[in-house]
Amino acid sequence: MLERFVRAAERLIFGHRVAVLALLALVTVVAAVFASRLHMTAGFGKQLPLGHEYTDTFVKYRDVLFGANRLIVVVHAKQGDIWKPESLKKLNDVTQALLYLPGVDRRSVSSLWTPNTRVMQVTEEGYEARDVIGGDITPEKLDATNIAKIRDNVVQGGYVGSLVASDFSGAMVTADLLDADPRTKEATDYIALGPKIEAELRAKFEDAGHEVRIIGFAKQISDIAEGAQGVVVFFALAFVLTAAAVYWYCRSLAFTVAALVCSLVSLVWQFASLQLLGYGLDPLAILVPFLVFAIGVSHGVQQINTIVREIGSGVAPFDAARHSFGALLVPGTMALVTAFVGFATLLLIPIPMIRELAITASLGVAYKIITNLVMLPVVASYVKLPADYAARMQHIRERRSMAVIALARLAEPGPARTVLLVSALLFGLAVWGSRDRHVGYVQPGAPELRDSARYNRDAVAIAEKFAVGLDVLTVVHETAPDSCYEHARMVFIDDLAWELANTDGVIGTASLPALVKLGAAGFNEGNPKWGDMPRDKRSMASFIGLVGEGSGLYDPRCTVLPVNAFLTDHKAETIKRAVAVVKRYREENTLEGVKVRLASGNAGVQAATNEVLEATELPMMLYVYATIVALVFLTYRDWRAVIACCLPLTLATFIGYWFMKVLGIGLTVATLPVMVLAVGIGVDYAFYIYNRLQLYLADGLDIVSAFRRALSETGIATVFTALTLSVGVATWVFSPLKFQADMGLLLAFMFMLNMLMAITVLPALAVTIDTLIPRRGPVHRPFMAH
């Protein structure tokens, strides 16, 4: 059945080459029109895991609670402190500018100049609540007396470390961003918002005496997008290096252009599909097109290798292309189907950005079946070669084969056992070394950017000067109406806040019970002994009235009572510790009428992402391996092939995890596709080598001779592909984006590692299994059209 299908496809395609290429060219031209309209897009909502407890809480209360998508702007005085007329005036200007930025939720804007910043104080006349900067003080009235008054209010109101730096060198303005305009419902364009933030805040107000520091999702994703534009240069460099290497390999400009153009055609189709599906190119997924291109180059080199080998043996280019089509359609399709399933399994992760990535990457890989397994051999069949090309390439192939032919000894029983012993030792070390590997961010700041990037320098400076920052974990207490007047319920919430405040990695907490206790002490001459939760509802109500609804610590009906935990950073271990404290508390403590819900705040959203990645990674990889097992067994009808192809891949995967842990690379939405790709590339190497190996075993050759033949025919192409792709992606280490530099190192390592596994461990496994369990029947011959 399979043989008839391939032969029929071969006759149809090569019997109508002009029509096939004309159709493919027409599709490419149309696709190019749509692909040209593609642009970068990013959205905070795209990173929220669907159906997770934490994000359900965030979505339910996003209009009540602030902090998940926050922008922080700090006006920092380069000399002295902030208590100068020019500094406070600049803080007011920044506050006003931020208020009118598109996408800003004006209710959430807080600074010393906003009316939601109040100070409560006990005086001889009783309890006084007032604005930190009263309505009688304007920027024009910032004399020494008023500035001293503002400073006293900041100290008395407890804003040192929150809105004002602990050393008084700067002051903060915070605001929450809306994911869509509430009137037009149009999504906020964060990539376009970033330059506006830069122009309207930093460029306008930064001067010789003041520095403007800005952090937040909008600024982070904008900086990543800006760096991603420079990524094109590194992609171009990798492309040029790949082109030069392919030319060196085949010594034909026509074959080089054919292999690269066919790989690029599928990218045009992929970009067009993105546009037609209504997607954009996310900055965090900027590497995916190159990964798909790398898969295309891998298959293209195998096609060119087979065609050149046929030509070297005296076959005409047209017949060589037909032979290559028939010989590689099955193993190539198997490898691409495996890569397709690998990317498709990313759909298991309920994060819109990853699902979008899964769809587009899967389409790109699926298109490779047409562009690299069909289009490339058809294009190659038209290539006109010099008369001496066949003889030259045959000589070159023989010389190159000598470089790898010595590896055939690994298929002898003695060396094979040594290889397997070393592999078993490596596997044990890799499993041990990759245990407790990082899921989520490992470093503070924006891990996608370099430590020297302005964003990360701002993040470090803000963390050093302020006791609160961008990283907030919000725990929501759902209660019956008017619960904030119930002593038992307020104590229950306060106890959780105390547990969080005493957790490593938590700078401090903010909650309504804490302010109520502060008010109780204030009504009693500030005596801390009276700083306890009042039992009388009227007393409770009077203290709550002083807090104000603008604090975001309760809603008008007192049914939502959050606890905000300010974290030192958003590293995975920091977030995990805080979440564990909340989970343990709600398991050990229950109170009727109070439901503890995790979690809002940006740390709550990140915690949900980390938990989803951790929970879905293993099932996803199992699906990929199940696909490989099924395809290998159906194709080769031999359990030996399953073991020989899959075990080296498993070893490479665990060594890859170990490598990630050593480099401090966490498993994130940006790194997960790379590990899936690594499996796909490893399958390419294994399928192409094992396909030739089993062919010669079926012809009656012994395992050593069969592997020597397979290695001489496909081994050079496999080694060459790995080296070419590794050198190309290794140039990424110079990228301004740290995550691209890390991915360059990881990909280069995985390309080389999978190649080494395919040419060493695979034959060692094959010969060892054959030695221990001799075959009783003939070896199944894989289908080869010629």
Side-chain angles (χ1 to χ4, degrees):
M1 179 68 180
L2 183 60
E3 181 177 352
R4 287 199 302 271
F5 170 76
V6 175
R7 289 190 185 281
E10 181 183 321
R11 287 194 300 270
L12 176 65
I13 292 169
F14 282 85
H16 304 83
R17 291 183 298 166
V18 174
V20 169
L21 288 181
L23 177 62
L24 293 175
L26 178 61
V27 171
T28 304
V29 170
V30 174
V33 174
F34 288 101
S36 64
R37 302 172 185 171
L38 186 69
H39 61 280
M40 283 193 185
T41 61
F44 184 77
K46 287 169 60 177
Q47 301 196 28
L48 302 179
L50 302 175
H52 193 279
E53 175 198 354
Y54 306 170
T55 49
D56 287 347
T57 301
F58 164 74
V59 171
K60 184 175 180 179
Y61 297 112
R62 67 189 309 167
D63 293 331
V64 179
L65 306 174
F66 304 127
N69 187 7
R70 176 170 289 180
L71 185 69
I72 292 179
V73 183
V74 170
V75 176
H76 173 74
K78 293 182 180 179
Q79 299 291 332
D81 55 37
I82 201 73
W83 309 121
K84 301 186 289 285
E86 60 271 21
S87 297
L88 289 175
K89 184 178 184 302
K90 191 170 291 292
L91 178 65
N92 178 66
D93 293 340
V94 169
T95 302
Q96 295 303 314
L98 186 58
L99 266 169
Y100 294 99
L101 268 180
V104 170
D105 185 348
R106 295 179 186 175
R107 301 170 303 163
S108 67
V109 176
S110 294
S111 87
L112 297 183
W113 285 96
T114 55
N116 56 4
T117 307
R118 297 174 63 78
V119 57
M120 295 181 291
Q121 186 180 13
V122 180
T123 67
E124 294 84 355
E125 298 177 358
Y127 211 96
E128 181 184 343
R130 60 184 182 276
D131 294 342
V132 170
I133 300 180
D136 59 328
I137 300 177
T138 64
E140 291 73 27
K141 295 181 179 180
L142 288 171
D143 53 26
T145 302
N146 282 335
I147 291 176
K149 183 178 178 181
I150 294 170
R151 177 172 179 164
D152 290 342
N153 285 343
V154 166
V155 174
Q156 293 165 7
Y159 292 107
V160 177
S162 55
L163 285 180
V164 176
S166 54
D167 60 355
F168 299 138
S169 62
M172 178 184 293
V173 186
T174 67
D176 275 37
L177 300 180
L178 300 168
D179 223 23
D181 189 304
R183 291 174 298 174
T184 64
K185 306 301 180 185
E186 185 177 342
T188 300
D189 187 345
Y190 290 100
I191 294 176
L193 181 59
K196 289 182 181 177
I197 293 172
E198 191 72 25
E200 296 297 324
L201 297 179
R202 192 173 348 244
K204 184 178 289 187
F205 298 112
E206 199 168 61
D207 55 30
H210 299 88
E211 184 179 0
V212 178
R213 296 166 176 166
I214 308 170
I215 59 174
F217 173 78
K219 192 68 180 74
Q220 176 183 344
I221 203 69
S222 173
D223 286 0
I224 293 171
E226 183 180 348
Q229 294 174 0
V231 166
V232 175
V233 175
F234 292 94
F235 285 174
L237 178 59
F239 180 83
V240 170
L241 291 173
T242 302
V246 173
Y247 178 79
W248 175 85
Y249 182 79
C250 66
R251 306 299 170 91
S252 167
L253 182 61
F255 281 149
T256 301
V257 172
L260 296 177
V261 168
C262 289
S263 292
L264 288 175
V265 164
S266 65
L267 285 186
V268 175
W269 295 2
Q270 182 184 13
F271 288 156
S273 299
L274 273 171
Q275 173 67 20
L276 290 171
L277 290 170
Y279 298 149
L281 189 60
D282 195 286
L284 292 178
I286 192 68
L287 301 183
V288 172
F290 185 83
L291 303 185
V292 175
F293 173 74
I295 292 176
V297 169
S298 176
H299 289 275
V301 168
Q302 292 292 346
Q303 287 279 2
I304 297 300
N305 176 65
T306 304
I307 293 170
V308 169
R309 186 179 71 242
E310 293 283 333
I311 292 174
S313 62
V315 179
F318 174 78
D319 293 326
R322 286 192 64 168
H323 295 178
S324 176
F325 172 84
L328 299 183
L329 184 62
V330 173
T333 301
M334 284 173 55
L336 287 171
V337 167
T338 302
F340 173 86
V341 172
F343 282 120
T345 54
L346 292 172
L347 289 168
L348 293 172
I349 302 175
I351 299 175
M353 192 197 88
I354 292 187
R355 287 184 170 175
E356 181 179 314
L357 181 153
I359 292 171
T360 55
S362 298
L363 286 174
V365 170
Y367 292 149
K368 293 294 179 189
I369 297 176
I370 300 174
T371 59
N372 287 85
L373 301 184
V374 177
M375 185 179 182
L376 178 55
V378 173
V379 171
S381 68
Y382 282 102
V383 172
K384 304 297 182 184
L385 298 167
D388 64 338
Y389 182 78
R392 283 193 294 111
M393 289 310 301
Q394 184 65 18
H395 175 69
I396 291 172
R397 282 184 54 80
E398 290 174 356
R399 191 171 69 247
R400 289 173 179 169
S401 296
M402 297 304 296
V404 296
I405 210 71
L407 289 172
R409 288 201 59 201
L410 297 177
E412 297 174 3
R417 285 194 292 270
T418 303
V419 169
L420 292 185
L421 182 63
V422 173
S423 299
L425 179 62
L426 272 176
F427 182 75
L429 288 173
V431 171
W432 179 82
S434 63
R435 75 193 191 287
D436 300 326
R437 62 184 180 277
H438 310 295
V439 178
Y441 296 129
V442 181
Q443 302 295 331
E448 297 86 0
L449 302 172
R450 300 268 186 188
D451 292 341
S452 58
R454 177 65 188 267
Y455 183 94
N456 280 338
R457 286 189 283 114
D458 284 354
V460 169
I462 291 172
E464 288 176 350
K465 302 288 186 179
F466 293 83
V468 297
L470 189 64
D471 303 310
V472 182
L473 176 71
T474 301
V475 183
V476 175
H477 295 83
E478 290 181 340
T479 64
D482 298 330
S483 290
C484 54
Y485 309 124
E486 298 288 339
H487 175 268
R489 292 172 182 172
M490 292 288 278
V491 169
F492 180 86
I493 297 169
D494 190 48
D495 288 346
L496 174 57
W498 186 89
E499 293 281 353
L500 279 169
N502 288 277
T503 300
D504 186 27
V506 176
I507 301 172
T509 60
S511 65
L512 183 62
L515 293 182
V516 166
K517 292 197 297 183
L518 182 63
F523 265 97
N524 290 277
E525 300 180 348
N527 191 329
K529 292 182 178 181
W530 289 95
D532 198 6
M533 204 72 64
R535 296 180 179 272
D536 180 60
K537 290 185 178 181
R538 287 176 299 180
S539 299
M540 191 88 76
S542 63
F543 301 147
I544 292 172
L546 295 171
V547 175
E549 293 179 14
S551 64
L553 296 177
Y554 67 101
D555 68 328
R557 298 174 62 234
C558 276
T559 58
V560 180
L561 302 173
V563 173
N564 296 324
F566 301 99
L567 310 183
T568 54
D569 51 58
H570 53 247
K571 290 161 61 174
E573 58 183 23
T574 305
I575 296 175
K576 200 169 186 177
R577 259 196 313 271
V579 169
V581 167
V582 177
K583 287 183 175 180
R584 186 176 65 249
Y585 181 84
R586 71 180 180 183
E587 287 173 3
E588 298 175 353
N589 303 274
T590 58
L591 182 65
E592 185 178 354
V594 179
K595 181 180 180 181
V596 181
R597 289 188 59 157
L598 284 161
S600 188
N602 69 308
V605 171
Q606 188 59 53
T609 302
N610 294 349
E611 289 187 9
V612 165
L613 290 176
E614 193 170 13
T616 55
E617 182 203 8
L618 179 59
M620 186 187 67
M621 295 302 285
L622 289 177
Y623 279 122
V624 174
Y625 275 92
T627 303
I628 297 172
V629 168
L631 286 173
V632 171
F633 188 78
L634 288 173
T635 303
Y636 300 117
R637 317 282 178 81
D638 189 353
W639 59 268
R640 293 173 174 82
V642 173
I643 295 175
C645 289
C646 292
L647 286 188
L649 205 57
T650 305
L651 173 59
T653 300
F654 276 97
I655 294 178
Y657 284 138
W658 187 16
F659 186 74
M660 286 177 65
K661 186 175 180 182
V662 170
L663 284 185
I665 302 173
L667 189 68
T668 66
V669 294
T671 59
L672 189 60
V674 175
M675 292 308 295
V676 175
L677 170 81
V679 175
I681 291 289
V683 166
D684 288 355
Y685 300 155
F687 281 171
Y688 281 118
I689 289 180
Y690 197 86
N691 201 66
R692 304 301 297 186
L693 177 65
Q694 183 136 333
L695 173 69
Y696 294 123
L697 288 174
D699 286 343
L701 272 64
D702 62 88
I703 186 73
V704 178
S705 301
F707 182 59
R708 183 178 291 112
R709 288 284 300 274
L711 202 60
S712 67
E713 294 182 3
T714 60
I716 284 292
T718 299
V719 173
F720 167 79
T721 302
L723 287 171
T724 300
L725 295 178
S726 296
V727 170
V729 298
T731 60
W732 295 0
V733 298
F734 303 107
S735 169
L737 294 181
K738 185 176 185 297
F739 89 98
Q740 189 196 11
D742 289 342
M743 292 308 96
L745 283 174
L746 180 59
L747 278 171
F749 179 78
M750 294 305 295
F751 286 152
M752 293 300 295
L753 180 64
N754 277 303
M755 178 269 293
L756 291 173
M757 294 296 106
I759 64 175
T760 58
V761 181
L762 187 152
L765 275 170
V767 70
T768 302
I769 295 171
D770 274 12
T771 302
L772 296 176
I773 310 174
R775 299 174 187 265
R776 295 185 178 180
V779 176
H780 172 72
R781 182 183 178 86
F783 172 70
M784 305 289 286
H786 298 275

